[in-house]
């Protein structure tokens, strides 16, 4: 049994471990842990308090996958609901679908009894106001008003903020029955174009779990993981016989072909193999990941292995 998470998941890991210790399922563990991160107003990359899109609206994405059945549920561009991970789980359990977005996702959340609330905190709104106008050169400030009235694409190209783009939370759990589940939740790229989805709600890009081989979840530039199906690649490379570290390295190396600026690319992943061995990998030196088993009293925070996307094959 094990729980693995991105560094910002530390606020949820003990709750997840307690569920596993009590004989709970991997699915329950990853959902409960993700909810604690989604409720944390100090985490501006996930849930309540997340940074908004270009129009100042918080739009959330999340996905959950059951490695026992390969069933999955996801929501994208969901506004007004603090716990997209729980709405995603309901999609998996109550609908013949995998992914709902925008108005459809919000309608479904209301039908399932989730409470609607304002997710934009004053702290996040202030960073948005300053970040947006600060990103525009002085002679282009009028683009703000023009853009919000019309040409948002021009604004998005200049203001989408890579410094605030990389946050998301990942949880992977393996329970006492050997079942694996994987959950991902994010508010996405700060000041994104409305309706933009990254990798987090896309099964195969930011989230994949299969009891037979392992699981992987991503944080970082969703556009890159989308282009390369990174989470699924990690699982597929294991299926093809790669060891866990080799599978992760190959999936990361695949990203180099999908970017013109590999030296700046930000991608991080956490993964386990089918035996529950954890790993964290990144393109940015100094990043960590966290894992814990029910026998432990405190989690371990470890440096991620670093992959240089500029290195020749
Ligand atoms: N990795 C999260 C996102 O790009 O939205």
């Amino acid at each position: 049994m094990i729980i693995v998470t991105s560094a910002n998941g530390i606020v949820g890991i003990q709750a997840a471990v307690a569920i596993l210790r009590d004989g709970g399922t991997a699915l329950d563990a990853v959902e409960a842990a993700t909810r604690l991160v989604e409720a944390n107003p100090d985490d501006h990359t996930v849930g309540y308090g997340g940074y908004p899109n270009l129009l100042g609206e918080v739009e959330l994405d999340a996905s959950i996958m059951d490695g026992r059945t390969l069933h999955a549920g996801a929501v994208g561009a969901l506004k007004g609901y603090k716990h997209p991970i729980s709405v995603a789980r309901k999609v998996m359990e109550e609908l013949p679908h995998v992914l709902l977005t925008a108005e459809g996702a919000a309608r479904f959340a209301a039908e399932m009894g989730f409470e609607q609330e304002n997710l934009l905190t004053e702290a996040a709104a202030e960073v948005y106001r300053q970040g947006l106008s600060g990103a525009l050169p002085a002679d282009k400030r009028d683009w703000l008003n023009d853009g919000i009235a019309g040409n948002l694409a021009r604004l998005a190209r200049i203001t989408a903020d890579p410094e605030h783009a990389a946050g998301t939370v990942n949880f992977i759990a393996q329970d006492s029955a050997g079942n694996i589940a994987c959950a991902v939740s994010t508010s996405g790229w700060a000041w994104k174009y409305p309706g933009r989805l990254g990798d987090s709600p896309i099964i195969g890009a930011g989230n994949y779990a299969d009891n037979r081989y392992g699981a992987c979840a991503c944080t970082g530039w969703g556009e890159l993981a989308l282009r390369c199906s990174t989470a699924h690649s990690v699982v597929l490379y294991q299926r093809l016989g790669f060891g866990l570290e080799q599978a992760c390295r190959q999936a990361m190396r695949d990203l180099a072909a999908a970017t013109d600026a590999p030296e700046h690319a930000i991608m991080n992943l956490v993964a386990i193999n089918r035996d529950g061995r954890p790993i964290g990998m990144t393109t940015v030196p100094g990043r960590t990941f966290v894992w814990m088993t029910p026998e432990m009293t405190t989690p371990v925070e470890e440096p991620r292995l670093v992959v240089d996307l500029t290195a020749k094959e």
Side-chain angles (χ1 to χ4, degrees):
M1 284 190 279
I2 191 164
I3 294 274
V4 188
T5 180
S6 44
N8 57 341
I10 199 145
V11 300
I13 199 165
Q14 292 279 7
V17 163
I19 288 171
L20 295 185
R21 219 179 255 137
D22 290 348
T25 66
L27 275 173
D28 285 345
V30 296
E31 182 189 359
T34 303
R35 286 175 63 92
L36 290 171
V37 184
E38 289 174 339
N40 178 8
D42 298 329
D43 191 326
H44 295 297
T45 67
V46 180
Y48 177 67
Y51 288 132
N53 67 16
L54 262 178
L55 297 176
E57 305 160 330
V58 180
E59 285 184 333
L60 302 180
D61 305 333
S63 63
I64 191 162
M65 185 158 185
D66 180 352
R68 185 175 69 85
T69 59
L70 305 190
H71 288 176
V75 289
L78 174 64
K79 287 188 253 187
Y81 292 90
K82 188 192 259 177
H83 293 300
I85 196 65
S86 295
V87 185
R89 186 163 178 186
K90 285 284 186 198
V91 171
M92 176 171 77
E93 292 176 347
E94 303 293 336
L95 288 176
H97 306 310
V98 171
L99 173 61
L100 293 182
T101 61
E103 288 85 0
R107 179 193 172 108
F108 175 72
E111 277 181 26
M112 292 296 110
F114 291 98
E115 193 185 328
Q116 195 172 14
E117 52 197 302
N118 172 33
L119 304 180
L120 184 64
T121 59
E122 195 36 55
E126 185 53 28
V127 177
Y128 161 74
R129 282 190 289 270
Q130 291 189 2
L132 207 53
S133 59
L136 285 172
D139 62 333
K140 296 199 166 48
R141 294 276 153 78
D142 57 333
W143 284 19
L144 256 185
N145 296 331
D146 293 353
I148 284 165
N151 191 342
L152 273 188
R154 186 173 65 168
L155 258 186
R157 279 196 297 273
I158 292 195
T159 61
D161 185 347
E163 289 306 313
H164 292 110
T168 295
V169 71
N170 300 154
F171 281 100
I172 299 172
Q174 187 175 43
D175 62 29
S176 58
N179 293 319
I180 297 173
C182 185
V184 180
S185 186
T186 189
S187 49
W189 193 306
W191 340 144
K192 62 193 173 186
Y193 198 98
R196 174 263 186 192
L197 302 182
D199 58 326
S200 303
I202 306 300
I203 298 301
N207 179 337
Y208 205 78
D210 183 331
N211 275 6
R212 296 169 296 175
Y213 311 108
C216 176
C218 304
T219 61
W221 293 358
E223 279 70 3
L224 277 184
L226 278 168
R227 289 181 189 127
C228 295
S229 302
T230 302
H232 184 257
S233 295
V234 167
V235 174
L236 180 62
Y237 284 130
Q238 290 188 81
R239 178 178 181 176
L240 296 177
F242 289 45
L244 177 64
E245 180 180 335
Q246 196 189 8
C248 293
R249 282 194 187 280
Q250 187 58 54
M252 293 287 261
R253 292 285 316 146
D254 291 349
L255 300 168
T259 175
D260 297 331
E263 66 281 17
H264 299 306
I266 299 173
M267 183 54 57
N268 320 287
L269 59 79
V270 292
I272 64 171
N273 64 11
R274 67 178 168 207
D275 301 322
R277 191 184 137 214
I279 195 168
M281 208 167 265
T282 182
T283 57
V284 184
R287 300 224 164 153
T288 60
F289 74 112
V290 179
W291 60 275
M292 187 172 174
T293 67
E295 297 76 36
M296 296 161 60
T297 51
T298 52
V300 174
E301 183 164 10
E302 274 187 30
R304 292 174 188 249
L305 300 175
V306 178
V307 175
D308 177 1
L309 295 190
T310 65
K312 295 274 175 272
E313 295 267 345

